[in-house]
Amino acid sequence: MTHHIVVLGAGYAGLTAARRAARLLRGSDVRLTLVNRSERFVERVRLHQLAARGIPPGQSLFRALAGSGVDLVVGEVAEVDAEARAVTVAGRADRLTYDTLVYALGSAADLDAVPGLREHGFAVADAEGAGRLRARLDELPGGAVVAVVGAGPTGVEVAAELAEARPDLSVELVTRSELGGGLSPGARRHLRRTFARLGVGVREHQRVTAVERDGVVTAEGARLACTALVWAGGFRVPSPAARSALRTDERGRLVVDGRLRSVSHPEVYGVGDSASAATVTGGETRMSCQAALPMGRYVAVDLARTLRGRRSGRPARIRDLGLDVALGRRNAVVQLFRGGGRPVGAVLTGRPAAWIKHRVVRAAAWLAGA
Ligand SMILES: Cc1cc2nc3c(=O)[nH]c(=O)nc-3n(C[C@H](O)[C@H](O)[C@H](O)COP(=O)(O)OP(=O)(O)OC[C@H]3O[C@@H](n4cnc5c(N)ncnc54)[C@H](O)[C@@H]3O)c2cc1C
């Protein structure tokens, strides 16, 4: 009987899994269905560029998913019934039943993190959000203050790109911790120097508790006036897994074993931002392409082995090797980690780091098969 594999989400992880599995299982009695909110793959790691300055013609961040060797269903995944092995897609009368499910719904901006954010804030976690921010920035006159909340890699990339693209704006980075926390002293120094040069104000140890139409309020009692606010204060994962019988962690991520299978339902694999797996370098997978791509690749290979009657291979070896953070177009910082996410002392910065970053970003979309 035909084995039906359903892949939910066509981001870096899901698309990698779907396209590779389609290739590896060619000629087998297998049907592959890919379900995604839109009919295009989005090069998500470049959305801050889209928001800050637009993308030059001929360099689109979007790739059509049709023709990828799988059946494409465009729609919103509403529910996963793990007991019945069925997925409900909004607007479709029939449920999609599966023999194997690959859960790869990624992550989104947590717009309910503080009051007022959903009404007054912007985010770059998806193409629609980045497009809205772009339109808002186009309206802003010189001198307007843009606050970027969150100094993780996304917040840092947004602030730097914005300050470089729009030097007429006043960009303020607000963080409840420290700029460059978790990076080596050399990387932190480079970040501070870069932000000073770009004129980005850095407000550390300020936890934003509310967003208003024209400013933010912090737990420390400060009020920062701003004309636009960009939230990079953390991602949440889509809710279908958490609302199902599948075992999830406190953030709603699917909990998977060393072979990336759900610990509660082994016919379900979890990959990318919406799954939590152990890395071989210590700790859990970080929300990153660095984890999403090998997770997707592993699942495709494991599926091909097991559906051809072979035993599952050795467990996945997902590594957290480091961070590569863009600071505008001609500058970046590459920070390698030793085990457990501890930074090594030496860092690469400036143009050589930007060159690497550029290639890594391009390679990520290519490796996903986009
Ligand atoms: C601005 C920005 C810069 C970044 N820079 C880097 C970087 O430099 N390096 C790095 O490693 N990582 C970076 N990241 C993080 C990286 O983008 C994610 O870790 C990566 O996209 C995860 O891949 P994924 O396949 O798990 O999820 P995604 O790429 O988010 O894909 C998930 C897919 O599922 C779809 N989907 C979600 N919910 C539903 C639903 N209910 N129904 C149907 N479809 C749904 C989405 O539309 C999407 O197509 C960045 C993120 C952002 C926002």
mmCIF file of all heavy atoms in Angstrom, residues 117-133:
data_model
loop_
_atom_site.group_PDB
_atom_site.id
_atom_site.type_symbol
_atom_site.label_atom_id
_atom_site.label_comp_id
_atom_site.label_asym_id
_atom_site.label_seq_id
_atom_site.Cartn_x
_atom_site.Cartn_y
_atom_site.Cartn_z
ATOM 1 N N LEU A 117 1.883 45.360 21.908
ATOM 2 C CA LEU A 117 2.823 45.009 20.826
ATOM 3 C C LEU A 117 2.085 44.666 19.536
ATOM 4 O O LEU A 117 2.444 45.140 18.450
ATOM 5 C CB LEU A 117 3.696 43.847 21.296
ATOM 6 C CG LEU A 117 4.703 43.295 20.302
ATOM 7 C CD1 LEU A 117 5.663 44.383 19.849
ATOM 8 C CD2 LEU A 117 5.494 42.136 20.926
ATOM 9 N N ARG A 118 1.053 43.850 19.647
ATOM 10 C CA ARG A 118 0.321 43.429 18.448
ATOM 11 C C ARG A 118 -0.269 44.638 17.708
ATOM 12 O O ARG A 118 -0.259 44.705 16.485
ATOM 13 C CB ARG A 118 -0.774 42.434 18.843
ATOM 14 C CG ARG A 118 -1.380 41.687 17.708
ATOM 15 C CD ARG A 118 -2.215 40.531 18.185
ATOM 16 N NE ARG A 118 -1.459 39.336 18.473
ATOM 17 C CZ ARG A 118 -0.977 38.502 17.555
ATOM 18 N NH1 ARG A 118 -1.156 38.749 16.284
ATOM 19 N NH2 ARG A 118 -0.300 37.433 17.896
ATOM 20 N N GLU A 119 -0.750 45.630 18.472
ATOM 21 C CA GLU A 119 -1.376 46.811 17.846
ATOM 22 C C GLU A 119 -0.332 47.767 17.264
ATOM 23 O O GLU A 119 -0.513 48.327 16.197
ATOM 24 C CB GLU A 119 -2.204 47.606 18.873
ATOM 25 C CG GLU A 119 -3.396 46.888 19.450
ATOM 26 C CD GLU A 119 -3.034 46.076 20.698
ATOM 27 O OE1 GLU A 119 -2.059 45.295 20.627
ATOM 28 O OE2 GLU A 119 -3.716 46.215 21.715
ATOM 29 N N HIS A 120 0.763 47.965 18.005
ATOM 30 C CA HIS A 120 1.666 49.059 17.629
ATOM 31 C C HIS A 120 3.042 48.619 17.136
ATOM 32 O O HIS A 120 3.812 49.463 16.663
ATOM 33 C CB HIS A 120 1.870 49.993 18.838
ATOM 34 C CG HIS A 120 0.594 50.477 19.430
ATOM 35 N ND1 HIS A 120 -0.321 51.227 18.724
ATOM 36 C CD2 HIS A 120 0.060 50.300 20.668
ATOM 37 C CE1 HIS A 120 -1.362 51.487 19.497
ATOM 38 N NE2 HIS A 120 -1.168 50.938 20.679
ATOM 39 N N GLY A 121 3.363 47.333 17.269
ATOM 40 C CA GLY A 121 4.729 46.908 16.951
ATOM 41 C C GLY A 121 4.856 46.305 15.560
ATOM 42 O O GLY A 121 3.859 45.991 14.892
ATOM 43 N N PHE A 122 6.084 46.135 15.134
ATOM 44 C CA PHE A 122 6.405 45.480 13.856
ATOM 45 C C PHE A 122 7.389 44.353 14.150
ATOM 46 O O PHE A 122 8.048 44.347 15.190
ATOM 47 C CB PHE A 122 7.036 46.472 12.881
ATOM 48 C CG PHE A 122 6.103 47.564 12.457
ATOM 49 C CD1 PHE A 122 5.986 48.725 13.213
ATOM 50 C CD2 PHE A 122 5.331 47.426 11.313
ATOM 51 C CE1 PHE A 122 5.110 49.727 12.828
ATOM 52 C CE2 PHE A 122 4.452 48.420 10.926
ATOM 53 C CZ PHE A 122 4.342 49.581 11.692
ATOM 54 N N ALA A 123 7.496 43.416 13.190
ATOM 55 C CA ALA A 123 8.472 42.326 13.348
ATOM 56 C C ALA A 123 8.928 41.897 11.965
ATOM 57 O O ALA A 123 8.275 42.200 10.963
ATOM 58 C CB ALA A 123 7.845 41.155 14.091
ATOM 59 N N VAL A 124 10.048 41.182 11.927
ATOM 60 C CA VAL A 124 10.578 40.737 10.625
ATOM 61 C C VAL A 124 10.631 39.214 10.535
ATOM 62 O O VAL A 124 11.392 38.667 9.757
ATOM 63 C CB VAL A 124 11.989 41.323 10.358
ATOM 64 C CG1 VAL A 124 11.951 42.811 10.178
ATOM 65 C CG2 VAL A 124 12.960 40.916 11.468
ATOM 66 N N ALA A 125 9.814 38.536 11.349
ATOM 67 C CA ALA A 125 9.898 37.074 11.376
ATOM 68 C C ALA A 125 9.250 36.418 10.175
ATOM 69 O O ALA A 125 9.515 35.262 9.874
ATOM 70 C CB ALA A 125 9.264 36.542 12.660
ATOM 71 N N ASP A 126 8.357 37.128 9.482
ATOM 72 C CA ASP A 126 7.786 36.566 8.253
ATOM 73 C C ASP A 126 7.692 37.664 7.191
ATOM 74 O O ASP A 126 7.877 38.859 7.484
ATOM 75 C CB ASP A 126 6.429 35.891 8.501
ATOM 76 C CG ASP A 126 5.420 36.838 9.122
ATOM 77 O OD1 ASP A 126 5.383 38.023 8.727
ATOM 78 O OD2 ASP A 126 4.664 36.402 10.012
ATOM 79 N N ALA A 127 7.416 37.240 5.976
ATOM 80 C CA ALA A 127 7.465 38.182 4.843
ATOM 81 C C ALA A 127 6.417 39.284 4.983
ATOM 82 O O ALA A 127 6.680 40.452 4.658
ATOM 83 C CB ALA A 127 7.249 37.417 3.541
ATOM 84 N N GLU A 128 5.242 38.934 5.500
ATOM 85 C CA GLU A 128 4.185 39.933 5.629
ATOM 86 C C GLU A 128 4.608 41.002 6.643
ATOM 87 O O GLU A 128 4.445 42.199 6.412
ATOM 88 C CB GLU A 128 2.865 39.282 6.077
ATOM 89 C CG GLU A 128 2.239 38.354 5.044
ATOM 90 C CD GLU A 128 3.036 37.075 4.808
ATOM 91 O OE1 GLU A 128 3.711 36.606 5.747
ATOM 92 O OE2 GLU A 128 3.014 36.562 3.670
ATOM 93 N N GLY A 129 5.165 40.548 7.768
ATOM 94 C CA GLY A 129 5.616 41.480 8.807
ATOM 95 C C GLY A 129 6.723 42.385 8.274
ATOM 96 O O GLY A 129 6.722 43.605 8.509
ATOM 97 N N ALA A 130 7.671 41.802 7.561
ATOM 98 C CA ALA A 130 8.779 42.595 7.016
ATOM 99 C C ALA A 130 8.249 43.613 6.001
ATOM 100 O O ALA A 130 8.718 44.761 5.938
ATOM 101 C CB ALA A 130 9.812 41.678 6.369
ATOM 102 N N GLY A 131 7.239 43.212 5.220
ATOM 103 C CA GLY A 131 6.637 44.127 4.237
ATOM 104 C C GLY A 131 5.931 45.290 4.922
ATOM 105 O O GLY A 131 6.031 46.445 4.483
ATOM 106 N N ARG A 132 5.231 44.999 6.022
ATOM 107 C CA ARG A 132 4.540 46.071 6.762
ATOM 108 C C ARG A 132 5.551 47.051 7.340
ATOM 109 O O ARG A 132 5.361 48.270 7.296
ATOM 110 C CB ARG A 132 3.688 45.481 7.891
ATOM 111 C CG ARG A 132 2.318 44.998 7.445
ATOM 112 C CD ARG A 132 1.396 44.766 8.628
ATOM 113 N NE ARG A 132 1.837 43.677 9.474
ATOM 114 C CZ ARG A 132 1.576 42.392 9.235
ATOM 115 N NH1 ARG A 132 0.855 42.048 8.192
ATOM 116 N NH2 ARG A 132 2.009 41.459 10.053
ATOM 117 N N LEU A 133 6.653 46.514 7.871
ATOM 118 C CA LEU A 133 7.680 47.398 8.434
ATOM 119 C C LEU A 133 8.284 48.262 7.339
ATOM 120 O O LEU A 133 8.518 49.463 7.531
ATOM 121 C CB LEU A 133 8.756 46.566 9.143
ATOM 122 C CG LEU A 133 9.959 47.348 9.663
ATOM 123 C CD1 LEU A 133 9.530 48.412 10.686
ATOM 124 C CD2 LEU A 133 10.986 46.401 10.305
#
